[in-house]
Amino acid sequence: MDSSRDIREALHELLCCTNVSTKEGIHLALAELLKNLAKYPTDRDSIWKCLKFLGSRHPTLVLPLVPELLGTHPFFDTPEPDMDDPAYIAVLVLIFNAAKSCPTMPALFSDHTFRHYAYLRDSLSHLVPPLRLPGKKLASFSGLASLTLPEDPSQEFLQQSLERVFSLQHLDPQGSQELLEFTIRYWLWETREGGVGRLASPNLVASTQFSA
């Protein structure tokens, strides 16, 4: 990145209006912006604004990157990222703005991602849009940043799985394959690692038969 702040911010503004054609292009743009942020922390607001527009303009390209960007894993719990990290906030701004036009994307979020959404929606409302999050109700973080989960966890699991499968139609072949593999691995993990009883609930069985 250029040593002139004016030039850097002009490049950020240009990127706001750029149409990217591949998910690799989105990933590269994000990586370069994060390098910029690491070298010039005072560019934070300009970079966050740039990622807001980059996400809102390219929801289908951001979607297959979500598991990697959030560090979610189908087999293991991953550490909760630091909300004081401007780079992590930058990633969330990109993802949440993409999610506004991609209602299936929240199915890929972890619980702490929903909590962080509630926090950022309160503290950076000019950068984080209101989202419709199926199966979860978010209270204002300034009050109680709580999550109300569905009473039947099996219903939530089925809903998330179906939403992931539904989102395949919006992706290119490679992105579809990656998301499908992630969903299958997650399903296998749930059925093996203590989730058997939950997945065998009558409600889930009935819902699965209906979906089939």
Side-chain angles (χ1 to χ4, degrees), residues 113-180:
T113 306
F114 288 103
R115 291 197 300 272
H116 295 170
Y117 168 77
Y119 172 77
L120 292 179
R121 179 63 188 146
D122 261 16
S123 59
L124 296 174
S125 59
H126 62 294
L127 293 173
V128 177
L131 299 179
R132 298 181 63 183
L133 303 176
K136 297 181 184 289
K137 295 180 180 179
L138 291 174
S140 172
F141 192 84
S142 58
L144 291 175
S146 60
L147 291 173
T148 303
L149 300 178
E151 293 183 1
D152 185 354
S154 63
Q155 290 289 340
E156 180 190 10
F157 174 75
L158 176 62
Q159 179 183 6
Q160 290 178 347
S161 298
L162 292 176
E163 286 173 349
R164 290 190 183 107
V165 173
F166 176 77
S167 66
L168 297 178
Q169 64 182 310
H170 303 296
L171 303 178
D172 56 51
Q174 182 180 356
S176 298
Q177 181 178 352
E178 291 174 356
L179 185 56
L180 183 59

Short mmCIF file of all heavy atoms in Angstrom, two decimals, residues 113-180:
data_model
loop_
_atom_site.label_atom_id
_atom_site.label_comp_id
_atom_site.label_asym_id
_atom_site.label_seq_id
_atom_site.Cartn_x
_atom_site.Cartn_y
_atom_site.Cartn_z
N THR A 113 -20.47 -15.82 16.83
CA THR A 113 -20.65 -14.88 15.72
C THR A 113 -21.95 -14.10 15.89
O THR A 113 -22.00 -12.90 15.63
CB THR A 113 -20.65 -15.61 14.37
OG1 THR A 113 -19.47 -16.40 14.25
CG2 THR A 113 -20.70 -14.62 13.22
N PHE A 114 -23.00 -14.78 16.36
CA PHE A 114 -24.26 -14.09 16.62
C PHE A 114 -24.11 -13.08 17.75
O PHE A 114 -24.67 -11.98 17.70
CB PHE A 114 -25.36 -15.10 16.95
CG PHE A 114 -25.83 -15.90 15.76
CD1 PHE A 114 -25.41 -17.20 15.59
CD2 PHE A 114 -26.68 -15.35 14.82
CE1 PHE A 114 -25.83 -17.95 14.50
CE2 PHE A 114 -27.10 -16.08 13.72
CZ PHE A 114 -26.67 -17.39 13.56
N ARG A 115 -23.36 -13.45 18.78
CA ARG A 115 -23.13 -12.50 19.88
C ARG A 115 -22.35 -11.28 19.39
O ARG A 115 -22.66 -10.14 19.76
CB ARG A 115 -22.37 -13.18 21.02
CG ARG A 115 -23.17 -14.24 21.76
CD ARG A 115 -22.52 -14.58 23.10
NE ARG A 115 -21.17 -15.09 22.94
CZ ARG A 115 -20.87 -16.37 22.75
NH1 ARG A 115 -21.83 -17.26 22.67
NH2 ARG A 115 -19.61 -16.76 22.65
N HIS A 116 -21.36 -11.53 18.55
CA HIS A 116 -20.56 -10.42 18.04
C HIS A 116 -21.38 -9.55 17.09
O HIS A 116 -21.17 -8.33 17.03
CB HIS A 116 -19.32 -10.97 17.33
CG HIS A 116 -18.39 -11.69 18.25
ND1 HIS A 116 -17.32 -12.43 17.82
CD2 HIS A 116 -18.38 -11.78 19.61
CE1 HIS A 116 -16.68 -12.94 18.86
NE2 HIS A 116 -17.32 -12.56 19.95
N TYR A 117 -22.32 -10.17 16.38
CA TYR A 117 -23.21 -9.37 15.54
C TYR A 117 -24.03 -8.41 16.41
O TYR A 117 -24.18 -7.22 16.07
CB TYR A 117 -24.15 -10.27 14.73
CG TYR A 117 -25.27 -9.48 14.08
CD1 TYR A 117 -25.03 -8.73 12.93
CD2 TYR A 117 -26.54 -9.43 14.64
CE1 TYR A 117 -26.03 -7.97 12.35
CE2 TYR A 117 -27.55 -8.67 14.07
CZ TYR A 117 -27.29 -7.95 12.93
OH TYR A 117 -28.29 -7.18 12.37
N ALA A 118 -24.56 -8.91 17.51
CA ALA A 118 -25.36 -8.06 18.40
C ALA A 118 -24.54 -6.88 18.91
O ALA A 118 -25.02 -5.74 18.97
CB ALA A 118 -25.90 -8.88 19.57
N TYR A 119 -23.30 -7.16 19.26
CA TYR A 119 -22.42 -6.10 19.77
C TYR A 119 -22.13 -5.06 18.68
O TYR A 119 -22.25 -3.85 18.90
CB TYR A 119 -21.12 -6.71 20.28
CG TYR A 119 -20.08 -5.69 20.65
CD1 TYR A 119 -20.17 -4.97 21.84
CD2 TYR A 119 -19.00 -5.42 19.81
CE1 TYR A 119 -19.22 -4.03 22.18
CE2 TYR A 119 -18.05 -4.48 20.14
CZ TYR A 119 -18.16 -3.78 21.33
OH TYR A 119 -17.22 -2.84 21.66
N LEU A 120 -21.75 -5.53 17.50
CA LEU A 120 -21.39 -4.60 16.42
C LEU A 120 -22.61 -3.86 15.89
O LEU A 120 -22.50 -2.71 15.46
CB LEU A 120 -20.71 -5.36 15.28
CG LEU A 120 -19.32 -5.93 15.59
CD1 LEU A 120 -18.77 -6.67 14.38
CD2 LEU A 120 -18.37 -4.82 16.01
N ARG A 121 -23.75 -4.51 15.92
CA ARG A 121 -24.97 -3.83 15.47
C ARG A 121 -25.28 -2.64 16.36
O ARG A 121 -25.81 -1.62 15.91
CB ARG A 121 -26.13 -4.83 15.47
CG ARG A 121 -27.47 -4.25 15.05
CD ARG A 121 -27.46 -3.77 13.62
NE ARG A 121 -28.70 -3.05 13.32
CZ ARG A 121 -28.79 -2.02 12.50
NH1 ARG A 121 -27.71 -1.58 11.87
NH2 ARG A 121 -29.94 -1.43 12.29
N ASP A 122 -24.94 -2.74 17.63
CA ASP A 122 -25.13 -1.63 18.56
C ASP A 122 -24.03 -0.58 18.44
O ASP A 122 -24.29 0.62 18.46
CB ASP A 122 -25.18 -2.15 20.00
CG ASP A 122 -26.60 -2.30 20.51
OD1 ASP A 122 -27.52 -2.31 19.68
OD2 ASP A 122 -26.77 -2.41 21.72
N SER A 123 -22.78 -1.05 18.33
CA SER A 123 -21.65 -0.12 18.41
C SER A 123 -21.23 0.45 17.06
O SER A 123 -20.66 1.54 17.00
CB SER A 123 -20.45 -0.82 19.06
OG SER A 123 -20.08 -1.96 18.31
N LEU A 124 -21.50 -0.28 15.97
CA LEU A 124 -21.11 0.18 14.63
C LEU A 124 -22.29 0.02 13.67
O LEU A 124 -22.18 -0.59 12.61
CB LEU A 124 -19.90 -0.63 14.11
CG LEU A 124 -18.59 -0.50 14.87
CD1 LEU A 124 -17.55 -1.47 14.32
CD2 LEU A 124 -18.06 0.93 14.80
N SER A 125 -23.41 0.59 14.05
CA SER A 125 -24.63 0.39 13.27
C SER A 125 -24.53 0.98 11.86
O SER A 125 -25.26 0.57 10.96
CB SER A 125 -25.83 1.01 14.00
OG SER A 125 -25.63 2.40 14.22
N HIS A 126 -23.61 1.93 11.66
CA HIS A 126 -23.44 2.51 10.32
C HIS A 126 -22.68 1.56 9.40
O HIS A 126 -22.67 1.75 8.18
CB HIS A 126 -22.70 3.84 10.41
CG HIS A 126 -21.31 3.75 10.97
ND1 HIS A 126 -21.05 3.38 12.28
CD2 HIS A 126 -20.09 3.96 10.40
CE1 HIS A 126 -19.75 3.38 12.49
NE2 HIS A 126 -19.14 3.72 11.36
N LEU A 127 -22.07 0.53 9.97
CA LEU A 127 -21.32 -0.44 9.17
C LEU A 127 -21.97 -1.82 9.13
O LEU A 127 -21.69 -2.60 8.23
CB LEU A 127 -19.90 -0.60 9.73
CG LEU A 127 -18.97 0.61 9.62
CD1 LEU A 127 -17.67 0.34 10.36
CD2 LEU A 127 -18.69 0.96 8.16
N VAL A 128 -22.81 -2.11 10.10
CA VAL A 128 -23.41 -3.44 10.22
C VAL A 128 -24.92 -3.33 10.01
O VAL A 128 -25.61 -2.67 10.79
CB VAL A 128 -23.10 -4.06 11.59
CG1 VAL A 128 -23.77 -5.42 11.74
CG2 VAL A 128 -21.59 -4.20 11.77
N PRO A 129 -25.46 -3.97 8.98
CA PRO A 129 -26.88 -3.82 8.66
C PRO A 129 -27.76 -4.69 9.55
O PRO A 129 -27.27 -5.67 10.15
CB PRO A 129 -26.95 -4.31 7.21
CG PRO A 129 -25.89 -5.37 7.14
CD PRO A 129 -24.77 -4.86 8.03
N PRO A 130 -29.03 -4.38 9.64
CA PRO A 130 -29.96 -5.29 10.34
C PRO A 130 -30.12 -6.57 9.54
O PRO A 130 -30.27 -6.54 8.31
CB PRO A 130 -31.26 -4.49 10.40
CG PRO A 130 -31.16 -3.52 9.26
CD PRO A 130 -29.71 -3.19 9.11
N LEU A 131 -30.06 -7.69 10.22
CA LEU A 131 -30.20 -8.99 9.56
C LEU A 131 -31.38 -9.75 10.12
O LEU A 131 -31.68 -9.65 11.31
CB LEU A 131 -28.92 -9.83 9.75
CG LEU A 131 -27.62 -9.28 9.20
CD1 LEU A 131 -26.48 -10.24 9.53
CD2 LEU A 131 -27.71 -9.06 7.70
N ARG A 132 -32.02 -10.51 9.27
CA ARG A 132 -33.05 -11.44 9.72
C ARG A 132 -32.36 -12.77 9.98
O ARG A 132 -31.87 -13.41 9.06
CB ARG A 132 -34.14 -11.58 8.66
CG ARG A 132 -34.86 -10.28 8.36
CD ARG A 132 -35.94 -10.48 7.32
NE ARG A 132 -36.98 -11.38 7.79
CZ ARG A 132 -38.02 -11.77 7.05
NH1 ARG A 132 -38.12 -11.35 5.80
NH2 ARG A 132 -38.92 -12.59 7.55
N LEU A 133 -32.33 -13.15 11.24
CA LEU A 133 -31.60 -14.35 11.64
C LEU A 133 -32.59 -15.43 12.04
O LEU A 133 -33.12 -15.40 13.15
CB LEU A 133 -30.65 -14.03 12.79
CG LEU A 133 -29.63 -12.92 12.49
CD1 LEU A 133 -28.81 -12.60 13.72
CD2 LEU A 133 -28.73 -13.30 11.33
N PRO A 134 -32.90 -16.37 11.15
CA PRO A 134 -33.90 -17.40 11.45
C PRO A 134 -33.48 -18.27 12.62
O PRO A 134 -32.33 -18.69 12.72
CB PRO A 134 -33.96 -18.22 10.15
CG PRO A 134 -32.64 -17.98 9.49
CD PRO A 134 -32.27 -16.57 9.85
N GLY A 135 -34.44 -18.49 13.53
CA GLY A 135 -34.18 -19.38 14.65
C GLY A 135 -33.49 -18.73 15.82
O GLY A 135 -33.27 -19.36 16.84
N LYS A 136 -33.11 -17.44 15.70
CA LYS A 136 -32.41 -16.77 16.79
C LYS A 136 -32.97 -15.36 16.94
O LYS A 136 -33.18 -14.66 15.97
CB LYS A 136 -30.91 -16.69 16.53
CG LYS A 136 -30.25 -18.06 16.43
CD LYS A 136 -28.77 -17.93 16.19
CE LYS A 136 -28.13 -19.29 15.99
NZ LYS A 136 -28.07 -20.06 17.21
N LYS A 137 -33.19 -14.96 18.18
CA LYS A 137 -33.65 -13.61 18.47
C LYS A 137 -32.53 -12.89 19.21
O LYS A 137 -32.06 -13.34 20.24
CB LYS A 137 -34.91 -13.63 19.33
CG LYS A 137 -36.11 -14.27 18.63
CD LYS A 137 -37.32 -14.26 19.52
CE LYS A 137 -38.52 -14.90 18.83
NZ LYS A 137 -39.70 -14.93 19.71
N LEU A 138 -32.14 -11.75 18.67
CA LEU A 138 -31.04 -11.00 19.26
C LEU A 138 -31.58 -9.82 20.05
O LEU A 138 -32.31 -9.00 19.52
CB LEU A 138 -30.10 -10.49 18.16
CG LEU A 138 -29.30 -11.58 17.44
CD1 LEU A 138 -28.53 -10.95 16.29
CD2 LEU A 138 -28.34 -12.25 18.39
N ALA A 139 -31.20 -9.75 21.30
CA ALA A 139 -31.55 -8.58 22.10
C ALA A 139 -30.47 -7.53 21.93
O ALA A 139 -29.36 -7.82 21.53
CB ALA A 139 -31.66 -8.98 23.58
N SER A 140 -30.81 -6.28 22.22
CA SER A 140 -29.83 -5.21 22.11
C SER A 140 -28.68 -5.47 23.07
O SER A 140 -28.88 -5.82 24.23
CB SER A 140 -30.49 -3.87 22.44
OG SER A 140 -29.53 -2.86 22.53
N PHE A 141 -27.46 -5.28 22.60
CA PHE A 141 -26.30 -5.53 23.45
C PHE A 141 -26.26 -4.55 24.61
O PHE A 141 -25.74 -4.86 25.67
CB PHE A 141 -25.02 -5.41 22.62
CG PHE A 141 -23.81 -5.94 23.34
CD1 PHE A 141 -23.52 -7.29 23.31
CD2 PHE A 141 -22.98 -5.09 24.06
CE1 PHE A 141 -22.41 -7.78 23.96
CE2 PHE A 141 -21.87 -5.58 24.72
CZ PHE A 141 -21.58 -6.93 24.67
N SER A 142 -26.81 -3.36 24.42
CA SER A 142 -26.78 -2.38 25.49
C SER A 142 -27.68 -2.81 26.64
O SER A 142 -27.53 -2.35 27.76
CB SER A 142 -27.22 -1.01 24.97
OG SER A 142 -28.52 -1.09 24.43
N GLY A 143 -28.63 -3.70 26.35
CA GLY A 143 -29.45 -4.25 27.42
C GLY A 143 -28.88 -5.59 27.81
O GLY A 143 -27.96 -5.69 28.60
N LEU A 144 -29.43 -6.64 27.23
CA LEU A 144 -28.90 -7.98 27.45
C LEU A 144 -28.59 -8.59 26.10
O LEU A 144 -29.51 -8.88 25.34
CB LEU A 144 -29.92 -8.85 28.20
CG LEU A 144 -30.21 -8.48 29.65
CD1 LEU A 144 -31.32 -9.35 30.19
CD2 LEU A 144 -28.95 -8.64 30.51
N ALA A 145 -27.34 -8.78 25.82
CA ALA A 145 -26.96 -9.37 24.53
C ALA A 145 -27.15 -10.87 24.61
O ALA A 145 -26.22 -11.64 24.74
CB ALA A 145 -25.51 -9.03 24.20
N SER A 146 -28.40 -11.27 24.58
CA SER A 146 -28.71 -12.68 24.78
C SER A 146 -29.23 -13.28 23.50
O SER A 146 -29.73 -12.60 22.62
CB SER A 146 -29.76 -12.83 25.88
OG SER A 146 -30.94 -12.15 25.52
N LEU A 147 -29.13 -14.58 23.42
CA LEU A 147 -29.64 -15.33 22.28
C LEU A 147 -30.70 -16.29 22.77
O LEU A 147 -30.48 -17.02 23.73
CB LEU A 147 -28.51 -16.13 21.62
CG LEU A 147 -27.43 -15.31 20.91
CD1 LEU A 147 -26.32 -16.25 20.46
CD2 LEU A 147 -28.01 -14.60 19.72
N THR A 148 -31.85 -16.27 22.14
CA THR A 148 -32.89 -17.22 22.47
C THR A 148 -32.92 -18.28 21.39
O THR A 148 -33.30 -18.01 20.25
CB THR A 148 -34.27 -16.52 22.55
OG1 THR A 148 -34.18 -15.47 23.51
CG2 THR A 148 -35.34 -17.52 22.94
N LEU A 149 -32.49 -19.47 21.72
CA LEU A 149 -32.41 -20.55 20.75
C LEU A 149 -33.74 -21.29 20.70
O LEU A 149 -34.53 -21.24 21.64
CB LEU A 149 -31.29 -21.52 21.14
CG LEU A 149 -29.90 -20.91 21.23
CD1 LEU A 149 -28.91 -21.98 21.68
CD2 LEU A 149 -29.47 -20.31 19.92
N PRO A 150 -34.01 -21.98 19.61
CA PRO A 150 -35.24 -22.76 19.54
C PRO A 150 -35.28 -23.79 20.65
O PRO A 150 -34.25 -24.31 21.08
CB PRO A 150 -35.12 -23.44 18.16
CG PRO A 150 -34.17 -22.60 17.39
CD PRO A 150 -33.22 -22.04 18.39
N GLU A 151 -36.49 -24.12 21.11
CA GLU A 151 -36.62 -25.07 22.20
C GLU A 151 -36.11 -26.44 21.79
O GLU A 151 -35.59 -27.19 22.60
CB GLU A 151 -38.09 -25.16 22.63
CG GLU A 151 -38.60 -23.87 23.29
CD GLU A 151 -40.01 -24.02 23.77
OE1 GLU A 151 -40.58 -25.13 23.61
OE2 GLU A 151 -40.56 -23.06 24.32
N ASP A 152 -36.27 -26.80 20.53
CA ASP A 152 -35.82 -28.10 20.05
C ASP A 152 -34.55 -27.92 19.23
O ASP A 152 -34.60 -27.45 18.09
CB ASP A 152 -36.91 -28.74 19.20
CG ASP A 152 -36.55 -30.17 18.78
OD1 ASP A 152 -35.40 -30.58 19.07
OD2 ASP A 152 -37.40 -30.84 18.17
N PRO A 153 -33.36 -28.27 19.77
CA PRO A 153 -32.12 -28.07 19.03
C PRO A 153 -32.09 -28.84 17.72
O PRO A 153 -31.42 -28.44 16.77
CB PRO A 153 -31.04 -28.58 20.00
CG PRO A 153 -31.67 -28.54 21.35
CD PRO A 153 -33.13 -28.81 21.12
N SER A 154 -32.80 -29.97 17.66
CA SER A 154 -32.79 -30.76 16.43
C SER A 154 -33.43 -29.99 15.29
O SER A 154 -33.01 -30.10 14.14
CB SER A 154 -33.52 -32.09 16.65
OG SER A 154 -34.88 -31.87 16.94
N GLN A 155 -34.45 -29.20 15.61
CA GLN A 155 -35.09 -28.40 14.57
C GLN A 155 -34.12 -27.35 14.02
O GLN A 155 -34.07 -27.10 12.82
CB GLN A 155 -36.35 -27.71 15.14
CG GLN A 155 -37.49 -28.65 15.45
CD GLN A 155 -38.14 -29.20 14.19
OE1 GLN A 155 -38.00 -28.64 13.12
NE2 GLN A 155 -38.85 -30.31 14.32
N GLU A 156 -33.35 -26.75 14.93
CA GLU A 156 -32.37 -25.76 14.49
C GLU A 156 -31.31 -26.41 13.60
O GLU A 156 -30.92 -25.86 12.57
CB GLU A 156 -31.69 -25.12 15.70
CG GLU A 156 -30.65 -24.08 15.31
CD GLU A 156 -29.81 -23.62 16.48
OE1 GLU A 156 -29.90 -24.25 17.55
OE2 GLU A 156 -29.05 -22.67 16.31
N PHE A 157 -30.85 -27.61 14.00
CA PHE A 157 -29.83 -28.30 13.22
C PHE A 157 -30.35 -28.63 11.82
O PHE A 157 -29.67 -28.42 10.82
CB PHE A 157 -29.40 -29.58 13.94
CG PHE A 157 -28.46 -30.44 13.14
CD1 PHE A 157 -27.14 -30.08 12.99
CD2 PHE A 157 -28.91 -31.59 12.52
CE1 PHE A 157 -26.27 -30.86 12.25
CE2 PHE A 157 -28.06 -32.37 11.77
CZ PHE A 157 -26.73 -32.01 11.64
N LEU A 158 -31.58 -29.14 11.75
CA LEU A 158 -32.16 -29.47 10.45
C LEU A 158 -32.32 -28.21 9.60
O LEU A 158 -32.00 -28.21 8.41
CB LEU A 158 -33.51 -30.15 10.64
CG LEU A 158 -34.28 -30.47 9.35
CD1 LEU A 158 -33.49 -31.45 8.49
CD2 LEU A 158 -35.66 -31.05 9.67
N GLN A 159 -32.79 -27.15 10.23
CA GLN A 159 -32.99 -25.90 9.49
C GLN A 159 -31.67 -25.39 8.92
O GLN A 159 -31.60 -24.99 7.75
CB GLN A 159 -33.59 -24.85 10.42
CG GLN A 159 -33.81 -23.49 9.74
CD GLN A 159 -34.34 -22.45 10.71
OE1 GLN A 159 -34.44 -22.70 11.90
NE2 GLN A 159 -34.67 -21.29 10.20
N GLN A 160 -30.61 -25.42 9.73
CA GLN A 160 -29.32 -24.95 9.25
C GLN A 160 -28.81 -25.81 8.11
O GLN A 160 -28.25 -25.29 7.13
CB GLN A 160 -28.31 -24.94 10.40
CG GLN A 160 -28.59 -23.88 11.45
CD GLN A 160 -27.59 -23.93 12.59
OE1 GLN A 160 -26.84 -24.89 12.73
NE2 GLN A 160 -27.58 -22.89 13.41
N SER A 161 -28.99 -27.13 8.21
CA SER A 161 -28.52 -28.02 7.16
C SER A 161 -29.26 -27.76 5.85
O SER A 161 -28.67 -27.70 4.77
CB SER A 161 -28.70 -29.48 7.58
OG SER A 161 -27.92 -29.78 8.73
N LEU A 162 -30.59 -27.60 5.95
CA LEU A 162 -31.38 -27.35 4.75
C LEU A 162 -31.03 -26.00 4.13
O LEU A 162 -31.00 -25.85 2.90
CB LEU A 162 -32.87 -27.40 5.08
CG LEU A 162 -33.42 -28.79 5.47
CD1 LEU A 162 -34.88 -28.69 5.87
CD2 LEU A 162 -33.24 -29.78 4.34
N GLU A 163 -30.74 -25.01 4.97
CA GLU A 163 -30.37 -23.69 4.44
C GLU A 163 -29.04 -23.76 3.71
O GLU A 163 -28.84 -23.11 2.69
CB GLU A 163 -30.32 -22.67 5.58
CG GLU A 163 -31.70 -22.27 6.08
CD GLU A 163 -31.62 -21.38 7.31
OE1 GLU A 163 -30.52 -21.24 7.89
OE2 GLU A 163 -32.66 -20.82 7.69
N ARG A 164 -28.11 -24.55 4.24
CA ARG A 164 -26.82 -24.70 3.55
C ARG A 164 -27.02 -25.34 2.18
O ARG A 164 -26.43 -24.91 1.19
CB ARG A 164 -25.87 -25.54 4.39
CG ARG A 164 -25.37 -24.86 5.66
CD ARG A 164 -24.24 -25.67 6.28
NE ARG A 164 -23.80 -25.07 7.52
CZ ARG A 164 -24.06 -25.56 8.73
NH1 ARG A 164 -24.75 -26.68 8.85
NH2 ARG A 164 -23.62 -24.96 9.81
N VAL A 165 -27.85 -26.39 2.14
CA VAL A 165 -28.10 -27.06 0.86
C VAL A 165 -28.80 -26.12 -0.11
O VAL A 165 -28.47 -26.05 -1.29
CB VAL A 165 -28.94 -28.34 1.08
CG1 VAL A 165 -29.35 -28.95 -0.25
CG2 VAL A 165 -28.14 -29.35 1.90
N PHE A 166 -29.77 -25.35 0.40
CA PHE A 166 -30.49 -24.41 -0.46
C PHE A 166 -29.55 -23.38 -1.07
O PHE A 166 -29.72 -22.96 -2.22
CB PHE A 166 -31.58 -23.70 0.35
CG PHE A 166 -32.32 -22.65 -0.43
CD1 PHE A 166 -33.30 -23.00 -1.36
CD2 PHE A 166 -32.05 -21.30 -0.25
CE1 PHE A 166 -33.98 -22.03 -2.08
CE2 PHE A 166 -32.72 -20.33 -0.97
CZ PHE A 166 -33.69 -20.70 -1.89
N SER A 167 -28.54 -22.97 -0.32
CA SER A 167 -27.63 -21.93 -0.80
C SER A 167 -26.74 -22.40 -1.93
O SER A 167 -26.12 -21.59 -2.62
CB SER A 167 -26.75 -21.42 0.36
OG SER A 167 -25.88 -22.43 0.81
N LEU A 168 -26.68 -23.72 -2.18
CA LEU A 168 -25.82 -24.24 -3.24
C LEU A 168 -26.19 -23.69 -4.60
O LEU A 168 -25.34 -23.52 -5.47
CB LEU A 168 -25.89 -25.78 -3.27
CG LEU A 168 -25.39 -26.52 -2.03
CD1 LEU A 168 -25.58 -28.02 -2.21
CD2 LEU A 168 -23.93 -26.21 -1.75
N GLN A 169 -27.47 -23.40 -4.80
CA GLN A 169 -27.91 -22.94 -6.12
C GLN A 169 -27.36 -21.56 -6.46
O GLN A 169 -27.36 -21.16 -7.62
CB GLN A 169 -29.44 -22.90 -6.18
CG GLN A 169 -30.07 -21.90 -5.21
CD GLN A 169 -31.57 -21.93 -5.27
OE1 GLN A 169 -32.15 -21.86 -6.35
NE2 GLN A 169 -32.22 -22.05 -4.12
N HIS A 170 -26.86 -20.84 -5.46
CA HIS A 170 -26.34 -19.49 -5.70
C HIS A 170 -24.83 -19.48 -5.94
O HIS A 170 -24.26 -18.42 -6.15
CB HIS A 170 -26.66 -18.58 -4.51
CG HIS A 170 -28.12 -18.50 -4.20
ND1 HIS A 170 -29.05 -17.98 -5.07
CD2 HIS A 170 -28.82 -18.91 -3.10
CE1 HIS A 170 -30.25 -18.05 -4.53
NE2 HIS A 170 -30.14 -18.60 -3.34
N LEU A 171 -24.18 -20.65 -5.89
CA LEU A 171 -22.73 -20.70 -5.94
C LEU A 171 -22.24 -21.27 -7.26
O LEU A 171 -22.98 -21.96 -7.98
CB LEU A 171 -22.19 -21.56 -4.79
CG LEU A 171 -22.59 -21.14 -3.38
CD1 LEU A 171 -22.02 -22.12 -2.37
CD2 LEU A 171 -22.10 -19.74 -3.08
N ASP A 172 -20.96 -21.01 -7.56
CA ASP A 172 -20.34 -21.66 -8.69
C ASP A 172 -20.06 -23.11 -8.32
O ASP A 172 -20.16 -23.49 -7.15
CB ASP A 172 -19.04 -20.94 -9.08
CG ASP A 172 -18.05 -20.83 -7.93
OD1 ASP A 172 -17.77 -21.87 -7.30
OD2 ASP A 172 -17.57 -19.73 -7.65
N PRO A 173 -19.72 -23.98 -9.29
CA PRO A 173 -19.54 -25.41 -8.98
C PRO A 173 -18.54 -25.68 -7.86
O PRO A 173 -18.78 -26.52 -6.99
CB PRO A 173 -19.06 -25.99 -10.32
CG PRO A 173 -19.66 -25.08 -11.35
CD PRO A 173 -19.63 -23.71 -10.73
N GLN A 174 -17.41 -24.97 -7.86
CA GLN A 174 -16.41 -25.21 -6.82
C GLN A 174 -16.94 -24.79 -5.45
O GLN A 174 -16.78 -25.50 -4.46
CB GLN A 174 -15.12 -24.45 -7.13
CG GLN A 174 -14.01 -24.70 -6.10
CD GLN A 174 -12.74 -23.95 -6.42
OE1 GLN A 174 -12.64 -23.29 -7.46
NE2 GLN A 174 -11.76 -24.03 -5.54
N GLY A 175 -17.58 -23.63 -5.40
CA GLY A 175 -18.15 -23.18 -4.12
C GLY A 175 -19.23 -24.11 -3.63
O GLY A 175 -19.34 -24.38 -2.43
N SER A 176 -20.05 -24.63 -4.54
CA SER A 176 -21.10 -25.56 -4.17
C SER A 176 -20.51 -26.83 -3.56
O SER A 176 -20.99 -27.33 -2.54
CB SER A 176 -21.95 -25.93 -5.40
OG SER A 176 -22.58 -24.80 -5.93
N GLN A 177 -19.46 -27.34 -4.19
CA GLN A 177 -18.83 -28.56 -3.68
C GLN A 177 -18.25 -28.35 -2.29
O GLN A 177 -18.40 -29.19 -1.40
CB GLN A 177 -17.74 -29.03 -4.64
CG GLN A 177 -17.05 -30.32 -4.19
CD GLN A 177 -16.01 -30.80 -5.18
OE1 GLN A 177 -15.90 -30.26 -6.28
NE2 GLN A 177 -15.25 -31.80 -4.80
N GLU A 178 -17.58 -27.20 -2.08
CA GLU A 178 -16.96 -26.93 -0.79
C GLU A 178 -18.02 -26.82 0.31
O GLU A 178 -17.85 -27.37 1.41
CB GLU A 178 -16.14 -25.64 -0.87
CG GLU A 178 -14.90 -25.77 -1.74
CD GLU A 178 -14.19 -24.45 -1.93
OE1 GLU A 178 -14.72 -23.42 -1.43
OE2 GLU A 178 -13.12 -24.42 -2.56
N LEU A 179 -19.11 -26.10 0.02
CA LEU A 179 -20.15 -25.93 1.03
C LEU A 179 -20.86 -27.25 1.31
O LEU A 179 -21.19 -27.57 2.45
CB LEU A 179 -21.15 -24.87 0.59
CG LEU A 179 -22.24 -24.50 1.61
CD1 LEU A 179 -21.61 -24.04 2.92
CD2 LEU A 179 -23.14 -23.42 1.05
N LEU A 180 -21.08 -28.06 0.27
CA LEU A 180 -21.73 -29.35 0.46
C LEU A 180 -20.86 -30.27 1.29
O LEU A 180 -21.35 -30.97 2.19
CB LEU A 180 -22.03 -29.98 -0.91
CG LEU A 180 -22.78 -31.32 -0.88
CD1 LEU A 180 -24.13 -31.17 -0.18
CD2 LEU A 180 -22.98 -31.84 -2.30
#
